[in-house]
Amino acid sequence: MTSVQVGIWGASRSVGQRLSQLLREAGEVTVALHPGTFPSAPETLPHLLILFGYPEVLREQVEAVRATAGGEQVVLVAALADRTTPESLDGLLRAGVDDLLDLGAPAPLLKARLRLLVRRARARQRRWDIERELQVRVGQQAVVAELGRRALANMPLPLLLEYATERVAAALGVELAKVLRLLPDGREFLLVAGYGWQDGLVGTFRVPAGTDSQAGYTLRAGGPVVVEDFARENRFACPELLRRHGVQAGLSVPIFVGGHSWGVLGAHTCRPRTFSHDDVHFLQAVAHVLATAIERREREEALRESEARYRAIVETAVDAIITIDETGRILLFNPAAERLFGYRAEEVIGRNISILMPSPYREQHDRYIRNYLETGRRRIIGRGREVTGLRKDGTTFPMYLAVSEVRLPDRRLFTGIVRDLSETRRLEQEILRISDEERRSIGQDLHDGLGQMLTGMALISQSLARRLAAQGRPEARELEELTELIRQADRQARTLARGLIPVELEANGLQAALYRLTRQTEELFGIRCRFEAEKDVPVADNMVATHLYRIAQEALNNAVRHGRAQTITVTLAADDEALHLWVRDDGVGIPEKLPETAGMGLRIMHYRARLLGGHLEVRRREEGGTEVHAAVPLTGRVLPADASQVLPETEVIP
C-alpha cells in the first residue's frame, strides 16, 4: 500500500501531535508538522494538506495551492480557527477546499473522519497516477502512429530515423537516443541517427558489435535489454560512447528487417532509471515501424531496379492487393485478390471498386472518396478496419482492409491490402460454442445435481422436523428453519442454473427468455428492469436466439456492475431487414474513451453480433446512461461488419 504524505500547517504543537497520532492509526501515512503559515509558493506538495487558520487567510492559501503545479492532486482540508459565516465558507469552496475539519468532534468521530480523508487522498493520488500513465501511453502511441504516417508518406529514411530518435527521447524522458546500423562485416555498428550526442559523432562513430557492449548483446539476445544502473551491470561493459556522455541506464531493442539483423534502437539516461514493460513495448513498436519503413525502402529500391521484380512480389503476395485511383477505378488486382473475390483481373481493371462491396456501401463509396479529397477527413485511409466484401458469386464475407495513400505528381493512388477473416470468425464462433456448452454443462450440473440434492435434503429435513414436532421436541423449530434455508439455497441454485441455461430459448422463444432474464435481474440487484416487445418476434434459429440472449445478459451485467444503473429497459423488435435488440439504462454512461485494458465482455458481444452477420453499437445516450443496440439480418441483405461505416465515429464505441 502506498504511504500517504500528510502536511499539517498552522496547528498548535498539541493539536498537531494529536492529529499525527490519529492519522498514523488511520493507515500508512507520513506526517509533517509545520507550525507556521503555508508558503505562497510551495516547492513540493503532500497528498493530504490540512491548513489551520482564519477563513480569509485560508482562502488565499488554498488558491496558492491550487495554482501550484500539481495542486489539483492534493486533498485540501481547512480547520477553521473561529466560527465563520456562510459567505466565508462559500469563498473557501470556490477557492477549491475539499473538506472542513471539526477538531471539537469526539475522538472516534475525528479518527473516522481522518481515515476517510487518508483514503480519499490515496484514491485521488492513484487516479492522478493512472491519468499520468495513460497520458504517457497515449503520447507514446501517438509517436508510433505519427512515425508510421511519416513512413507511409515516404519520408527519406535518414530524416525518419532522426525524427524517431528525437521523439523516443521525448516520450521516454531520457537525454539520449540512437539508431545503430550493423555494418556488412557484422563486427561493428555505425551511429546513423541520434539525439543528444556530441556534434560530429552521428554518421562517423562506430561501436563494437560483440557481446561486450549493450548494443551487441541486444542483437545477439534478439530481444530488449534493460540496464537500470551500469555500475551494477555484469553482463557487458559500458562502451566508450556511453561512458563519454555519463550514461548510467539504458534500454535497447534490436531492429530486424526481412528476418535479418539490421541494427539496434536505444534510449539512455544519465541517471539510474527503471524502465517499465510499457516503455519496452513502446521502443519495440518504434523499432518495428522503423523496420517496416526500412524494409519498404529496400523493397522500393529493388522495385525501381526491376519492374519484373515488382510484379513478382505483388503476384505472389498472400494477401489481396488492390490499387485504385481518385475516381475509384481499379488499377491493380493481384492473384490473391482474384482468388479472394472470384474475379479475373481483366474483369475488374478499369471498373469502379464498388463492385466488390455489398449494398448500400457500393452506392456510397464514391461519395466517401470525394469527401476525403475535399475535406481531408480520413475514415479508413492510414488505418486498418474490418469491413464486408462481396464476391463475384454474390456471397459476402468479413475482411480486414488497410488502405494507404500514395501521392504522385499528377494524381493520388490508394492501395488496399485485404485479408479474409472468415476463418477467424469461424474460430471465434467455435470458441463461443465451446463457452456456451461449458455454461450449459455447469448449469445442468447445478440444476440436476446440486438442485436435486438440495431438494432431497429439504424433504428429509422437513420429515424429521415433523417427527420431532409430534414428539414435542424443541429442536423441531430449529430444524424447520434449517429446512427453509435449504429451500432458499435450492431456489438460488436453480436461478443460477436458469441463467446459465436459457431453457426458454428452445421451449418458449427468445421473448420469454428475455422476460425471465429481466425479472431475475430485478430480484438479484433490486433495480427496475423491464422487457418490451412491439409485437411477437419469432426467432426460429436457436443459435441466433442464444447469441442475442447472451448479448442481453452481458449488457445487463455491465449496466449494473459498471454503469450503476437503477432502471434498465430491454427491447426486442424486428423490421423487414433485421432483428433488433436494445438494452438502455440510466447509469453513468460509457466513457468517451475506453481504456485499453477494457474487459472481454464488450468484445465478445461484438463477436456474437458479427458471427450472426450483424453488428453491435454502444452509444452514450443524450439523456444519460448507455444504449447497446444489436442488429441481426433476417433477410439476405448484408448488415455492416463495422457500424462506423454508416454512423459518425463520434457516436459509436467500436
Side-chain angles (χ1 to χ4, degrees), residues 533-552:
E534 299 177 0
K535 57 182 180 180
D536 288 340
V537 184
V539 182
D541 191 328
N542 190 57
M543 183 184 74
V544 173
T546 299
H547 284 311
L548 287 177
Y549 179 89
R550 294 302 183 198
I551 289 173

Side-chain angles (χ1 to χ4, degrees), residues 424-434 543 611:
T424 302
R425 294 291 164 264
R426 188 193 66 78
L427 292 175
E428 291 173 352
Q429 185 174 10
E430 182 65 15
I431 291 172
L432 289 177
R433 184 190 64 79
I434 294 172
M543 183 184 74
L611 289 174

Side-chain angles (χ1 to χ4, degrees), residues 176-199:
L176 303 161
K178 68 177 186 295
V179 176
L180 298 174
R181 180 171 185 177
L182 185 65
L183 296 176
D185 61 8
R187 299 164 63 180
E188 288 182 314
F189 293 102
L190 176 65
L191 180 63
V192 295
Y195 175 82
W197 306 99
Q198 297 173 0
D199 292 341

Side-chain angles (χ1 to χ4, degrees), residues 241-519:
L241 177 65
L242 303 185
R243 287 199 307 271
R244 184 184 300 186
H245 292 79
V247 169
Q248 295 190 44
L251 165 64
S252 57
V253 297
I255 300 175
F256 294 110
V257 175
H260 302 288
S261 300
W262 187 92
V264 171
L265 172 64
H268 305 279
T269 179
C270 300
R271 61 186 185 279
R273 162 78 179 268
T274 298
F275 292 93
S276 67
H277 292 296
D278 289 326
D279 294 334
V280 174
H281 295 157
F282 163 66
L283 202 64
Q284 286 178 315
V286 173
H288 178 71
V289 173
L290 292 179
T292 303
I294 294 166
E295 184 174 5
R296 182 180 178 186
R297 299 299 191 280
E298 293 179 351
R299 287 184 177 179
E300 287 175 350
E301 292 173 2
L303 292 175
R304 281 192 293 267
E305 294 174 1
S306 171
E307 179 66 19
R309 290 182 60 190
Y310 164 74
R311 288 293 176 187
I313 292 174
V314 172
E315 292 176 3
T316 59
V318 175
D319 293 332
I321 300 176
I322 305 170
T323 298
I324 65 173
D325 63 13
E326 294 171 318
T327 66
R329 290 186 306 113
I330 298 174
L331 305 178
L332 172 67
F333 201 75
N334 74 337
E338 292 181 327
R339 294 190 294 270
L340 183 58
F341 289 94
Y343 288 99
R344 297 191 306 274
E346 55 267 25
E347 292 181 275
V348 296
I349 297 295
R351 298 180 64 181
N352 194 285
I353 188 68
S354 60
I355 67 169
L356 306 180
M357 306 174 185
S359 293
Y361 314 112
R362 65 167 64 195
E363 293 83 6
Q364 299 170 352
H365 182 265
D366 289 344
R367 178 168 57 84
Y368 291 156
I369 295 182
R370 286 196 304 272
N371 181 65
Y372 169 66
L373 296 176
E374 292 172 1
T375 66
R377 183 185 177 192
R378 301 182 175 196
R379 295 185 66 86
I380 193 169
I381 297 170
R383 50 183 143 169
R385 178 164 292 175
E386 182 183 333
V387 296
T388 301
L390 177 67
R391 294 189 175 93
K392 181 180 179 180
D393 61 7
T395 59
T396 60
F397 65 99
M399 67 184 194
Y400 182 82
L401 172 64
V403 179
S404 62
E405 178 185 5
V406 178
R407 300 195 178 200
L408 301 177
D410 58 340
R411 57 177 176 164
R412 290 193 243 187
L413 300 180
F414 303 94
T415 298
I417 299 178
V418 179
R419 180 171 300 168
D420 188 357
L421 296 179
S422 299
E423 180 63 16
T424 302
R425 294 291 164 264
R426 188 193 66 78
L427 292 175
E428 291 173 352
Q429 185 174 10
E430 182 65 15
I431 291 172
L432 289 177
R433 184 190 64 79
I434 294 172
S435 174
D436 287 340
E437 286 185 358
E438 187 65 21
R439 283 175 179 242
R440 184 177 295 275
S441 176
I442 295 173
Q444 198 68 45
D445 288 344
L446 281 173
H447 185 276
D448 296 341
L450 181 60
Q452 298 297 337
M453 291 176 61
L454 291 172
T455 299
M457 292 169 61
L459 292 174
I460 295 173
S461 176
Q462 182 181 30
S463 175
L464 183 57
R466 288 174 178 173
R467 280 186 284 170
L468 290 175
Q471 298 172 11
R473 301 282 295 275
E475 293 87 352
R477 182 173 181 81
E478 295 179 0
L479 199 55
E480 288 176 355
E481 293 177 357
L482 177 61
T483 302
E484 180 58 28
L485 289 175
I486 295 174
R487 286 172 178 165
Q488 291 178 9
D490 185 19
R491 287 193 294 270
Q492 182 68 17
R494 294 180 186 276
T495 299
L496 291 174
R498 283 193 294 270
L500 293 170
I501 311 175
V503 293
E504 292 87 348
L505 293 184
E506 296 179 358
N508 302 318
L510 179 59
Q511 291 178 236
L514 293 177
Y515 176 80
R516 187 175 187 87
L517 178 61
T518 56
R519 297 283 70 76

